[in-house]
Amino acid sequence: MYEETKHITARLQVLEFLMTQANLADLFRHTDILLFVMYAQNAAEGVTTQYRLMEERLDISFYVSFPFDEWLRKIQNWKEKLSNPEFQLEHDTAIGKGRAARLQILMEKLCDRNAVPNSKVKLEHPYDSIARKPYHQAIEELEMALDSLKTNLGNLAMLPLRVSGDKRGKALRTYLDNASRKESIQTELQDYVYYCSNKRNTSVIRQLLYLRQRIQALVGKDELSDLDISESERHELLNQLKNIFEEDEINPAPKQIPAKAKPWANDELFSKVLNFVNLNAGQHFQVLDEDSIVDFLVRKDVTLSDGEEEHLQTLFLLMEAMCQQLEGTLQTRFDNTARHSDDIQQRINRVLQHVETYNARLLPCMATGKTLADLNGLFAQWFSPKVDVSLREPQVELLKLMEEGLDNIRMETYVHLLREASEMNLFKKLRPFSDKLYEALSKVENRDDEAFPIAKPSFNKYFRNPDFTKDPKWHEASKVLKSLRKEYLNLEP
């Protein structure tokens, strides 16, 4: 259990002990009512402190194990008890004075262990105020403290829904990374590596059967099996899977199923697990859908036992490992079938032919270790049929931005893409940068060279615009640039 879960639970349990005695009214009469108030306020402040900590560093493990709904119901019951007539007691002045004196003596001892109690000393502020406080006001303060506790606990329960998606993603990553150190999870992942060492088991059919088998074994009887999902949602998730894999791979014929594959998860349980997978990422089996996982783990009505939590952690980490295995198979398929239509490819070839003519003039500007082939290769990558299938439409939009008719290129877009290449460190750190690139491009070696068809002020205007992708016409096309930039920079040493 997460350490702070223990602290908050301990505070609430002390308050619960005070508030649920058999004869609570007598306990109020013979025990200092301030104890109740202080315990309630202490619990409320503890929750507030935890809220602030969670704002800085969201910890999912706290939410997985803390029963918010259970404690919120208990606090509401305690509040309702205080409205009973038995708690509407008359104020006893002697009790108030005695309580205040004891409290002052106690604080003096806490501050100075050698302090000599003197019951004749005049009560100081705030203890004199305590002595004069009517009993019913103490009850009201207790009600207010319980209100504050309930509000703070409710806010803490809702916090994960209010933090940024980036913070939720980092919290999930930390949660799973910590879980991966558990011996049982390491054993599960080692078993999967051993399974994949047999080449027959790396087929999509056997991988999906293995996943179904482990789903049944790990979470078949856990809280996850109670996930509320409709029949139409189940069909939609399974159909989305068919956009990635073949029908006979998802539902293989009996003769393709190994004898030891059963028992496995049925379609209903399988679809509940698919709820945690991003199935909208083109030809990829992307694990995990961070939002779906976090939403499930932090829901107030989901409280996992230690065993259930470990089972779910194991399943998520196993699916991540399987994703890497399946990605290789899917990428090979995609590479073997990826191609543009003849019409689109002809348009791309015409554009790249002009691009390479101008790029050749930039050879003197290439950064150390970079070649003209790197620059031409980057342009080719932007229009390659082997990019993710989800980028096909953005590629066509980029092609339209590049084309000037069908026999030339639009210089504005070409210059913008040169800026993108500079951001990817393909050029020397020249000063002034855009002037030097323009000089290289506009230099004519002989009469047969084509003059660079753009004026220097226009070149500088386009090249020095760092926010060109914010132009509405770049909305789709910029997705290609962002994807390739991320991939390219990740490969940089």
Side-chain angles (χ1 to χ4, degrees):
M1 183 186 289
Y2 176 52
E3 198 61 32
E4 194 58 30
T5 310
K6 296 178 182 178
H7 294 324
I8 291 182
T9 302
R11 294 186 188 104
L12 292 170
Q13 285 174 339
V14 169
L15 189 57
E16 181 181 31
F17 176 79
L18 289 173
M19 298 297 296
T20 56
Q21 297 302 299
N23 194 349
L24 190 57
D26 282 348
L27 195 63
F28 270 112
R29 291 175 186 275
H30 299 106
T31 302
D32 286 349
I33 185 64
L34 290 182
L35 284 177
F36 291 77
V37 179
M38 286 191 293
Y39 270 116
Q41 289 178 339
N42 182 53
E45 288 303 314
V47 174
T48 301
T49 300
Q50 183 60 21
Y51 183 93
R52 291 171 183 151
L53 291 173
M54 287 287 186
E55 278 187 310
E56 296 299 319
R57 185 183 64 85
L58 181 66
D59 195 313
I60 290 176
S61 60
F62 169 75
Y63 288 88
V64 171
S65 59
F66 193 85
F68 283 99
D69 279 349
E70 178 184 335
W71 282 111
L72 288 169
R73 282 194 298 270
K74 286 181 179 179
I75 294 169
Q76 181 60 34
N77 289 337
W78 301 339
K79 286 178 57 186
E80 292 172 0
K81 278 187 177 182
L82 295 180
S83 63
N84 294 342
E86 56 189 328
F87 295 110
Q88 310 308 312
L89 307 176
E90 293 297 325
H91 177 55
D92 188 322
T93 304
I95 290 178
K97 288 181 179 178
R99 175 189 301 127
R102 287 195 304 276
L103 205 56
Q104 181 169 322
I105 291 169
L106 174 61
M107 294 307 299
E108 288 174 355
K109 283 186 175 181
L110 287 173
C111 296
D112 181 3
R113 70 172 67 181
N114 298 315
V116 178
N118 186 350
S119 58
K120 296 182 180 180
V121 174
K122 182 180 178 181
L123 290 175
E124 299 175 358
H125 182 76
Y127 307 105
D128 60 338
S129 298
I130 293 173
R132 295 193 301 271
K133 186 171 292 186
Y135 195 91
H136 69 82
Q137 190 174 336
I139 294 290
E140 290 172 2
E141 289 177 349
L142 178 56
E143 289 178 329
M144 290 169 59
L146 291 176
D147 277 334
S148 177
L149 175 58
K150 184 179 178 183
T151 299
N152 292 351
L153 201 60
N155 287 339
L156 184 60
M158 297 297 291
L159 177 63
L161 306 181
R162 296 170 181 159
V163 300
S164 68
D166 181 58
K167 188 169 288 188
R168 286 159 59 96
K170 288 180 180 177
L172 178 62
R173 189 68 266 160
T174 300
Y175 176 70
L176 293 178
D177 287 345
N178 290 338
S180 66
R181 303 188 187 100
K182 296 179 181 178
E183 186 174 345
S184 61
I185 294 180
Q186 290 180 354
T187 300
E188 179 80 33
L189 297 178
Q190 289 170 358
D191 288 345
Y192 175 65
V193 172
Y194 183 78
Y195 178 80
C196 293
S197 65
N198 185 330
K199 292 300 181 183
R200 286 181 304 176
N201 293 335
T202 60
S203 69
V204 172
I205 288 178
R206 294 209 174 197
Q207 289 285 306
L208 293 182
L209 286 173
Y210 184 86
L211 177 57
R212 283 185 181 247
Q213 187 182 41
R214 298 312 301 152
I215 288 171
Q216 182 62 40
L218 289 168
V219 299
K221 298 180 181 179
D222 287 358
E223 179 86 31
L224 178 62
S225 63
D226 292 330
L227 181 66
D228 188 18
I229 187 169
S230 68
E231 184 177 354
S232 62
E233 289 170 328
R234 174 161 55 89
H235 287 308
E236 182 181 358
L237 286 165
L238 292 172
N239 284 332
Q240 285 178 322
L241 197 63
K242 293 174 185 176
N243 294 330
I244 303 173
F245 304 111
E246 301 295 332
E247 171 68 37
D248 61 351
E249 292 174 328
I250 301 170
N251 298 302
K255 63 181 180 182
Q256 295 176 293
I257 301 174
K260 295 183 178 180
K262 292 186 177 181
W264 61 34
N266 59 25
D267 281 354
E268 182 177 0
L269 181 57
F270 187 41
S271 62
K272 291 178 180 179
V273 173
L274 292 179
N275 186 61
F276 300 126
V277 179
N278 181 2
L279 298 175
N280 297 307
Q283 298 294 319
H284 300 277
F285 183 61
Q286 292 240 352
V287 181
L288 305 161
D289 189 318
E290 295 173 349
D291 284 341
S292 295
I293 293 174
V294 174
D295 286 343
F296 176 76
L297 293 176
V298 304
R299 270 172 38 194
K300 292 197 289 99
D301 59 339
V302 172
T303 304
L304 303 179
S305 67
D306 289 344
E308 288 178 327
E309 180 182 12
E310 188 167 311
H311 289 163
L312 207 52
Q313 291 169 333
T314 303
L315 180 59
F316 290 149
L317 289 166
L318 173 62
M319 291 172 72
E320 280 195 328
M322 296 186 76
C323 174
Q324 296 175 22
Q325 174 67 40
L326 288 167
E327 183 62 19
T329 301
L330 292 170
Q331 191 61 50
T332 300
R333 286 184 186 180
F334 184 63
D335 289 345
N336 290 338
T337 59
R339 63 184 301 273
H340 289 301
S341 68
D342 291 341
D343 173 60
I344 293 293
Q345 191 60 56
Q346 287 175 9
R347 290 165 60 189
I348 290 172
N349 291 343
R350 280 195 291 263
V351 163
L352 292 182
Q353 183 178 357
H354 287 282
V355 164
E356 290 172 6
T357 299
Y358 293 120
N359 284 353
R361 303 180 186 185
L362 293 170
L363 182 58
C365 302
M366 302 305 299
T368 303
K370 302 297 182 182
T371 66
L372 185 58
D374 293 320
L375 182 58
N376 289 337
L378 177 59
F379 276 87
Q381 275 186 287
W382 282 323
F383 295 100
S384 170
K386 294 184 180 181
V387 299
D388 191 282
V389 69
S390 64
L391 297 175
R392 291 297 179 83
E393 289 301 319
Q395 272 187 325
V396 173
E397 292 304 310
L398 180 60
L399 180 59
K400 292 176 182 177
L401 288 175
M402 278 292 290
E403 289 177 321
E404 185 72 52
L406 293 179
D407 298 315
N408 213 327
I409 62 173
R410 187 174 287 118
M411 299 311 299
E412 176 185 350
T413 306
Y414 173 67
V415 178
H416 283 322
L417 294 183
L418 287 183
R419 178 184 175 84
E420 186 72 7
S422 72
E423 294 288 339
M424 297 165 78
N425 305 316
L426 264 67
F427 298 120
K428 294 176 184 176
K429 301 300 181 183
L430 304 167
R431 293 293 181 270
F433 202 170
S434 60
D435 288 351
K436 295 294 184 183
L437 289 179
Y438 184 80
E439 289 174 12
L441 285 165
S442 60
K443 189 174 183 180
V444 177
E445 296 291 344
N446 58 62
R447 256 180 233 179
D448 296 330
D449 285 349
E450 182 182 341
F452 191 60
I454 186 173
K456 186 174 182 179
S458 296
F459 183 91
N460 286 336
K461 173 186 174 183
Y462 300 143
F463 190 85
R464 293 174 183 175
N465 177 10
D467 299 323
F468 70 91
T469 57
K470 294 182 180 179
D471 190 318
K473 66 184 179 183
W474 278 90
H475 177 73
E476 287 298 313
S478 63
K479 295 177 183 178
V480 180
L481 307 189
K482 291 174 183 177
S483 176
L484 267 293
R485 184 193 301 174
K486 182 179 180 181
E487 179 182 332
Y488 185 89
L489 294 180
N490 284 342
L491 295 175
E492 285 282 274

